[in-house]
Amino acid sequence: MTSPGRTERLVLPGVLTAEQAARTVAGILATQREDGAIPWFRGHHLDPWDHTEAAMALDAAGEHERAEAAYHWLARHQNPDGSWYAAYADGDAAAPTDRGRETNFCAYIAVGVWHHFLSTGDETFLDHMWPAVYAAIEYVVELQQPGGEIGWKREDDGTPVNDALLTGSSSIYQALRCALALAEAREEPQPDWELAVGRLGHAIRSHPERFLDKARYSMDWYYPILGGALRGEAARNRIDADWEQFVVPGLGVRCVLPNPWVTGGESAELALALWAMGESERAVQILKWMQHLRAEDGMYWTGYVFDDDAIWPRELTSWTAGSLLLAVAALGGDEATTSVFGGERLPTGLDPDCCR
């Protein structure tokens, strides 16, 4: 059982006490399998992105051994082409339930491994995980399109789906920068990745037409900021333009318009994006509002339908709890978390204009 003493860094007045944080961390640990896999909840599926987000939350809480076990699970079960399947039943690597191989799911290992390395300074871990990170990023970069955006996935038979998602590509932008930081730490320059992240950032900032139109989804609204592609005035303008559409005062953030449904994951991620653009007060307010989703065991319900006053779906997800803990860690100044999501020390890639 995680003790409050290990979660003092996760105290945020009005959001979490040390004891509450400890219960949330314990909830994630209870969801994790002995082999390191972290499904959404026991009996549901694991996807590699949310598995990694939950592992990062464990590192933010000082549970480094269990976070490391989660990354070793990824390394053991990577496909030969560097990918992972989109879903595994209850985290069972022998039971994939969605054999698509989504690029943002695969790239996110770089964010988690960099976060763990910053949290622990463990060079042996870095040496062990580097081949998995390298293979995953190579898989992802192969699906970059001429305009810089990253194709969504490959089907099970290897057919590429070249349509690009803004949320996914924004997450990949962060992952590529973390991968470059890992390469720098190993003194193994990756100029092709530098070019890829420069082209991708340019597409995100300047060419919305290169992505599928998912403007109804709040993730498309804030992910260019959360992933680090937008900062400064551009970030503030983007947030302010759609704030009233997506934010429900007192409850949190809608998942998709016009549905009367606020979700914990989107609320916590928006808070993290707000922190990254220097809006800490608004970030804390969002986290305070989402506490109506907290359950007695310290985990968080996925969402709430406010027109019906109903928790829906009836599930307590490891990734919702993980996103909340990471937002609190950033606001509390946890160095590894602020470095990963603040991005000031991450490589930016090569300017694509120089290579035309």
Side-chain angles (χ1 to χ4, degrees):
M1 174 69 176
T2 296
S3 67
R6 299 196 71 180
T7 51
E8 290 179 354
R9 71 184 78 187
L10 297 176
V11 171
L12 185 62
V15 178
L16 286 181
T17 65
E19 289 186 359
Q20 288 172 330
R23 288 181 64 81
T24 302
V25 175
I28 297 174
L29 291 171
T31 302
Q32 187 176 31
R33 291 162 44 117
E34 290 185 3
D35 64 359
I38 310 177
W40 285 21
F41 52 89
R42 293 311 303 267
H44 199 55
H45 75 255
L46 172 152
D47 74 71
W49 199 102
D50 289 311
H51 164 90
T52 299
E53 182 173 48
M56 292 170 66
L58 293 180
D59 265 326
E63 296 286 348
H64 302 309
E65 289 186 7
R66 297 313 301 162
E68 183 172 338
Y71 296 121
H72 286 319
W73 186 93
L74 289 172
R76 287 196 307 272
H77 301 301
Q78 190 171 32
N79 293 322
D81 65 358
S83 69
W84 290 270
Y85 296 123
Y88 300 84
D90 196 35
D92 183 351
T97 56
D98 182 345
R99 298 177 72 92
R101 289 164 281 158
E102 300 186 19
T103 47
N104 67 300
F105 282 13
C106 297
Y108 209 58
I109 186 176
V111 181
V113 169
W114 181 236
H115 183 260
H116 184 81
F117 178 65
L118 291 176
S119 297
T120 64
D122 188 344
E123 294 185 359
T124 300
F125 168 82
L126 180 56
D127 290 342
H128 179 79
M129 293 300 302
W130 173 248
V133 172
Y134 180 86
I137 297 301
E138 287 290 289
Y139 168 81
V140 169
V141 170
E142 283 183 0
L143 283 171
Q144 187 163 40
Q145 304 303 301
E149 69 277 21
I150 305 290
W152 175 25
K153 65 177 181 177
R154 288 189 186 274
E155 302 287 9
D156 185 29
D157 64 1
T159 302
V161 177
N162 293 328
D163 292 333
L165 302 173
L166 180 58
T167 293
S169 284
S170 297
S171 176
I172 292 168
Y173 179 81
Q174 180 189 26
L176 285 172
R177 295 176 71 197
C178 289
L180 284 170
L182 288 164
E184 285 187 4
R186 290 182 54 81
E187 298 183 354
E188 295 187 29
Q190 301 295 327
D192 289 346
W193 298 358
E194 292 181 18
L195 180 57
V197 75
R199 294 172 60 214
L200 178 57
H202 177 73
I204 293 168
R205 288 186 289 270
S206 303
H207 292 282
E209 75 281 359
R210 295 178 184 171
F211 301 92
L212 294 177
D213 184 2
K214 301 286 184 180
R216 294 173 55 229
Y217 292 83
S218 61
M219 294 177 79
D220 261 28
W221 169 50
Y222 64 75
Y223 246 87
I225 301 159
L226 181 60
L230 288 184
R231 287 290 188 265
E233 184 177 0
R236 290 190 294 273
N237 289 342
R238 186 177 186 88
I239 289 298
D240 290 345
D242 287 329
W243 181 269
E244 293 186 0
Q245 287 197 89
F246 286 116
V247 176
V248 183
L251 295 178
V253 179
R254 292 179 191 256
C255 178
V256 57
L257 299 172
N259 298 1
W261 182 43
V262 294
T263 50
E266 276 78 357
S267 297
E269 287 183 344
L270 175 62
L272 193 49
L274 290 168
W275 166 83
M277 55 185 275
E279 295 278 354
S280 292
E281 289 187 8
R282 281 206 284 185
V284 172
Q285 186 65 72
I286 293 289
L287 295 180
K288 288 180 178 179
W289 287 344
M290 71 168 279
Q291 295 312 303
H292 70 100
L293 296 173
R294 185 176 176 88
E296 290 184 2
D297 66 355
M299 297 296 279
Y300 287 78
W301 298 106
T302 295
Y304 172 73
V305 182
F306 49 85
D307 275 3
D308 298 331
D309 188 24
I311 293 291
W312 184 85
R314 300 291 299 186
E315 58 183 33
L316 297 163
T317 42
S318 58
W319 50 268
T320 300
S323 63
L324 179 279
L325 292 175
L326 287 171
V328 171
L331 284 158
D334 176 66
E335 185 174 355
T337 306
T338 58
S339 295
V340 166
F341 289 100
E344 291 83 358
R345 291 160 46 190
L346 290 176
T348 56
L350 297 174
D351 183 345
D353 294 331
C354 75
C355 304
R356 289 181 176 175

